[in-house]
Amino acid sequence: DSGVTQTPKHLITATGQRVTLRCSPRSGDLSVYWYQQSLDQGLQFLIQYYNGEERAKGNILERFSAQQFPDLHSELNLSSLELGDSALYFCASSTHHHSGPGGYNEQFFGPGTRLTVL
Amino acid sequence: GIQVEQSPPDLILQEGANSTLRCNFSDSVNNLQWFHQNPWGQLINLFYIPSGTKQNGRLSATTVATERYSLLYISSSQTTDSGVYFCAVEMHSNSGYALNFGKGTSLLVTP
């Protein structure tokens, strides 16, 4: 158990709908990252928050948004869902926002939310 | 961004055999991690190893940062080692940092 929790484990919805995925980081971790794993694109970084502020954006679609709350949990909102959004969505957490030379910033992953869009 | 290449893409071993998985990366890195994704989809941390050598039971890893590669050794493989092994390096992305994953090595260990 990594200490990162994600809910729900599975989500089945229809095209055009909106869903919210939730993540609670490990105790003491300030950074939360969201990743998407699909068969054709592999594991891709979506977005990072550090202590409530957005710090980095990857290949995140405009239909997707996220936030990190004062208690450090994070939510990923996916709207106007398409069939191609079906994927495994992971949340990860770490202590800092980056490693830096000689620094330590190991990322730990939650169990993921498997989203199926029908 | 930093390119991460893993080899081989697929590997089939008989239980008890040893194997070496390779990860090449295109630039210097501050962070390199190895993960095992089990058949249930969980990503399990194996090593945090930007340089040097570490061992954990039957697994060990070596990163030669100056030559931009990392190796994961699995000895006396067991069927529970099956799954996909990912190498990931920290990349700089739009003022922040995140992990950039290779495509993985899919390992099947047969009894």
Side-chain angles (χ1 to χ4, degrees):
Chain A
D1 185 353
S2 68
V4 180
T5 60
Q6 288 188 247
T7 56
K9 284 194 169 64
H10 302 277
L11 201 46
I12 301 175
T13 188
T15 54
Q17 295 298 304
R18 172 188 167 96
V19 296
T20 297
L21 314 184
R22 183 187 168 102
C23 167
S24 291
R26 292 186 321 154
S27 176
D29 283 356
L30 298 179
S31 261
V32 169
Y33 311 78
W34 287 96
Y35 293 84
Q36 178 195 58
Q37 185 177 31
S38 60
L39 282 174
D40 53 344
Q41 297 290 328
L43 263 159
Q44 290 208 307
F45 166 66
L46 296 179
I47 196 163
Q48 178 201 14
Y49 279 81
Y50 177 76
N51 204 19
E53 292 187 7
E54 182 186 303
R55 292 305 296 258
K57 262 188 173 178
N59 297 322
I60 187 166
L61 300 171
E62 285 193 12
R63 300 184 285 108
F64 296 1
S65 64
Q67 52 184 328
Q68 186 180 27
F69 294 87
D71 67 353
L72 300 177
H73 90 270
S74 178
E75 292 180 357
L76 179 67
N77 301 297
L78 315 176
S79 61
S80 303
L81 285 167
E82 301 175 0
L83 296 177
D85 297 327
S86 295
L88 191 49
Y89 291 84
F90 286 105
C91 167
S93 75
S94 68
T95 307
H96 308 295
H97 64 87
H98 71 94
S99 295
Y104 173 80
N105 196 40
E106 187 171 359
Q107 290 189 29
F108 293 86
F109 283 70
T113 292
R114 189 170 295 279
L115 173 67
T116 303
V117 182
L118 301 175
Chain B
I2 299 176
Q3 305 301 311
V4 182
E5 292 183 359
Q6 292 187 244
S7 60
D10 301 283
L11 191 55
I12 301 176
L13 297 175
Q14 201 152 22
E15 210 167 15
N18 304 327
S19 63
T20 301
L21 281 55
R22 186 177 180 102
C23 172
N24 292 333
F25 43 96
S26 60
D27 205 344
S28 58
V29 297
N30 293 323
N31 173 4
L32 187 146
Q33 293 186 240
W34 282 97
F35 296 91
H36 173 216
Q37 187 168 36
N38 65 22
W40 296 270
Q42 278 186 297
L43 274 170
I44 298 161
N45 288 43
L46 296 178
F47 294 102
Y48 178 97
I49 186 164
S51 64
T53 297
K54 289 186 177 178
Q55 178 146 14
N56 185 3
R58 295 181 296 104
L59 302 183
S60 64
T62 294
T63 298
V64 184
T66 51
E67 297 187 23
R68 299 181 185 165
Y69 73 88
S70 183
L71 302 174
L72 178 68
Y73 305 96
I74 305 175
S75 64
S76 304
S77 58
Q78 301 176 357
T79 56
T80 51
D81 294 331
S82 297
V84 183
Y85 289 80
F86 289 102
C87 166
V89 301
E90 190 176 77
M91 64 176 177
H92 184 229
S93 168
N94 292 347
S95 80
Y97 295 81
L99 288 177
N100 187 16
F101 283 79
K103 292 189 190 306
T105 292
S106 180
L107 174 64
L108 176 64
V109 181
T110 61

